[in-house]
Amino acid sequence: MDLGEAGDSPWGESTSKGQDAESSQQSQSSIKSPTGRPSRGPIRRLVAQPTKLEAADDPLGPLGPLGANAAPGADAQADEPPAPPLKEQVVIRTTMPQPAQRKPGPGDPHRIDDDEYDRPAGPRAPPPVQAAQPTPVRAASQPSVSVEQAAKPSFYITVGDPHKVGDLTSSHIVYSVRTKTSSKGYKHPEFEVKRRYRDFLWLYNTMHGNNPGVVVPPPPEKQALNRFESNFVESRRAALEKMLNKIAAHPTLQHDPDLKLFLESESFNIDVKHKERREPIPVESKGVWGSLGINVGGGSKFVEQDDWFHDRRVYLDALENQLKALMKSMDTMVNQRKAMAESAGEFSASLHALSTVELSPTLSGPLDALSDLQLTIRDVYDRQAQQDVLTFGITIDEYIRLIGSVKQAFSQRQKAFYSWHSAESELQKRKSAQEKLLRQGRSQQDRLNQADAEVGDAERKVHQARLLFDDMGRLMRAELDRFEREKVEDFKSSVETFLESAVEAQKELIEKWETFLMQLDAEDDETVFYRPPVYQVSDNKATGRGDTAVDRARATIDEDSD
């Protein structure tokens, strides 16, 4: 048996790759050539077909066609090399797929009832994701602030513990100024110093000179009489505390070095004296104008050229008059409350005296209770009068003083206008002298050079004075806008506090009167009102005397009459 030919061997499918290739070429040549040797088709039906690698979805299985069931073109397909496997195409979705319609009922978390053959081809869709809900912690937290507000240093200043020091001729009130701040310009975050009223006044005048055009919150005015009275000391303490907190909250004034000196210095008087020695310039002319060498003084009557500033000046004059009238009415109302409190006290004393001489216990008890009620009414009126001063009255007084501070800023702008025009007049004089020297020729060359230098210096001063006047105008516009915003907020808060205080006082009075009326209605209850002390008597029935001191007094009167 010859094994050299692959076609004659029944194990032709297990030969080498070279023999397979040769037989494939012979098979193809026999099919193409009609005149070649006979076809080997019947011989290949008797032998096993080689394994064919195809896709897994072949309905005939992985072994391909066998025997007589082979297709006519299977000979050519069997000899071709297997196709490489294709890469699975992944579908990229840009949107979430729509959820499939499911039957109603509870879902199956373990997917036991899902049919694996009913699933669509491709990767499984991810589970739906719910939209993010705001957490309750973030909702309850404070709203975020801007970067500028977060970068600003915070100040919390309290003025308290007022006490009198000194002898009869030099007595004054000293206050404790406590400061809490987040500013890095101070040595400690919390500190406390002692200050008197004139120190606050020094701070106000100094900051006005350092910051022309800025509305500096003023301290309360001086008072010569009754300056050690408790109500006056408390109102002044509250006004000084409000002044310092407004200065510290101002974006320009909070960076003033004199404020740091006032709040932090332990040896304040000595530091102020050293500062005055280093800066001997008067307060009115120091600061920006003094550094520029510009004369600050008045000339002819100032005529406002800007309509906006003219309207604001007229508005401030009218507002000041209205606030002063309101303050006068407020003082009248407070005095009336104090008078009512004093009258209630006198009425209570009269009722108490009447209750002590009244013999009938059914009348003396209600009279004494009414006397106590009038004392309560007196205390309510006194407290309400003090609260009116500390809530609404202090705000009215503060804005009357603030309008004075605004007018002082207007005066500083007026001085800047005078300085500007004074510098222009000086420049014209220098230019006239320069032109005169130019007409004289080169003989006055030295004086001409000096005149040129003086003209240049005068032009510089005119330019600086003009810039200062314009900058002060822009600054005052911003300050007046700030003044209007704070005025609305402060008066709104003060009126709300004033009304709440009045409502609470009336509620307290109504409650006291209702309690008194309920006691009057309970006539049968002997324990409602106060009864005189009872003295135990051995034989009350025998003597006919009552159990009270009033009854005994009546019995004594009857015995005397007999």
Side-chain angles (χ1 to χ4, degrees), residues 86 195 223 288 337 459 491 518:
L86 299 177
R195 296 290 181 266
Q223 181 172 336
V288 180
R337 292 192 192 278
E459 290 177 348
F491 270 93
M518 290 175 61

Side-chain angles (χ1 to χ4, degrees), residues 190-248:
E190 297 184 15
F191 41 88
E192 177 181 348
V193 293
K194 301 292 183 180
R195 296 290 181 266
R196 56 183 298 183
Y197 172 78
R198 69 180 183 185
D199 299 334
F200 292 87
L201 192 61
W202 173 89
L203 177 66
Y204 170 73
N205 293 327
T206 305
M207 299 194 79
H208 248 304
N210 295 343
N211 305 275
V214 177
V215 179
V216 182
E221 296 181 356
K222 296 185 67 175
Q223 181 172 336
L225 301 177
N226 300 326
R227 58 194 180 101
F228 298 116
E229 187 182 357
S230 59
N231 292 336
F232 172 75
V233 171
E234 175 60 24
S235 61
R236 170 176 279 189
R237 182 209 61 80
L240 293 175
E241 179 177 303
K242 202 167 186 179
M243 165 198 170
L244 290 182
N245 281 283
K246 282 201 168 187
I247 290 177

Side-chain angles (χ1 to χ4, degrees), residues 64-125:
L66 299 176
N69 297 329
D75 296 338
Q77 294 178 2
D79 295 334
E80 293 180 358
L86 299 177
K87 185 178 181 181
E88 181 181 3
Q89 298 294 330
V90 179
V91 181
I92 300 177
R93 296 187 303 273
T94 59
T95 59
M96 296 295 294
Q98 298 293 333
Q101 299 292 334
R102 297 182 59 87
K103 296 180 180 180
D108 184 9
H110 302 290
R111 307 184 63 88
I112 299 176
D113 298 334
D114 294 347
D115 190 359
E116 297 292 339
Y117 298 98
D118 294 339
R119 294 180 184 177
R124 179 182 297 175

Side-chain angles (χ1 to χ4, degrees), residues 262-310:
F262 177 85
L263 294 177
E264 198 177 35
S265 176
E266 294 290 343
S267 55
F268 180 72
N269 294 329
I270 298 176
D271 293 338
V272 169
K273 290 180 179 179
H274 288 329
K275 179 180 175 61
E276 291 176 353
R277 290 193 188 100
R278 293 192 303 267
E279 301 175 3
I281 306 175
V283 176
E284 291 295 332
S285 61
K286 75 172 185 179
V288 180
W289 291 305
S291 63
L292 298 179
I294 300 175
N295 182 23
V296 181
S300 59
K301 185 176 180 181
F302 176 73
V303 178
E304 183 60 65
Q305 304 294 330
D306 195 326
D307 294 337
W308 189 89
F309 282 100
H310 176 73

Side-chain angles (χ1 to χ4, degrees), residues 145-155 181-184 248-252 254-255 482 485:
V145 297
S146 61
V147 178
E148 292 80 3
Q149 293 178 352
K152 291 181 180 179
S154 61
F155 289 86
T181 179
S182 61
S183 175
K184 302 300 182 182
H250 197 281
T252 302
Q254 65 180 200
H255 301 293
R482 180 186 179 90
R485 292 194 306 268

Side-chain angles (χ1 to χ4, degrees), residues 320-446:
E320 184 180 17
N321 294 332
Q322 294 294 331
L323 289 179
K324 287 182 177 180
L326 181 60
M327 190 65 185
K328 185 177 180 181
S329 302
M330 187 78 183
D331 292 338
T332 304
M333 185 184 65
V334 170
N335 293 331
Q336 288 179 354
R337 292 192 192 278
K338 293 180 178 179
M340 291 177 62
E342 185 178 356
S343 300
E346 294 177 356
F347 185 41
S348 174
S350 300
L351 289 173
H352 180 68
L354 180 60
S355 66
T356 57
V357 299
E358 178 59 40
L359 299 180
S360 175
T362 58
L363 182 59
S364 62
L367 288 176
D368 197 21
L370 183 58
S371 174
D372 295 338
L373 178 60
Q374 292 299 318
L375 290 178
T376 304
I377 294 175
R378 181 199 62 184
D379 296 338
V380 171
Y381 284 153
D382 281 334
R383 185 172 66 252
Q384 189 174 3
Q386 183 66 16
Q387 287 177 350
D388 292 345
V389 173
L390 295 178
T391 55
F392 198 30
I394 194 174
T395 303
I396 300 174
D397 182 66
E398 175 192 2
Y399 273 87
I400 292 176
R401 291 182 281 108
L402 266 176
I403 292 176
S405 182
V406 174
K407 289 184 176 181
Q408 189 168 352
F410 271 94
S411 300
Q412 290 177 328
R413 179 174 174 270
Q414 180 177 345
K415 292 178 181 179
F417 178 81
Y418 288 145
S419 300
W420 172 30
H421 282 272
S422 175
E424 284 187 342
S425 300
E426 187 68 21
L427 176 61
Q428 294 300 327
K429 293 180 181 179
R430 300 298 180 185
K431 285 186 176 181
S432 299
Q434 183 186 26
E435 291 176 357
K436 184 177 180 180
L437 292 175
L438 287 175
R439 287 194 300 267
Q440 293 179 0
R442 298 189 174 213
S443 60
Q444 304 291 336
Q445 187 64 35
D446 295 337

Side-chain angles (χ1 to χ4, degrees), residues 522-535:
E523 295 178 355
D524 298 335
D525 189 0
E526 297 181 356
T527 62
V528 173
F529 294 109
Y530 170 78
R531 303 298 300 272
V534 178
Y535 296 93

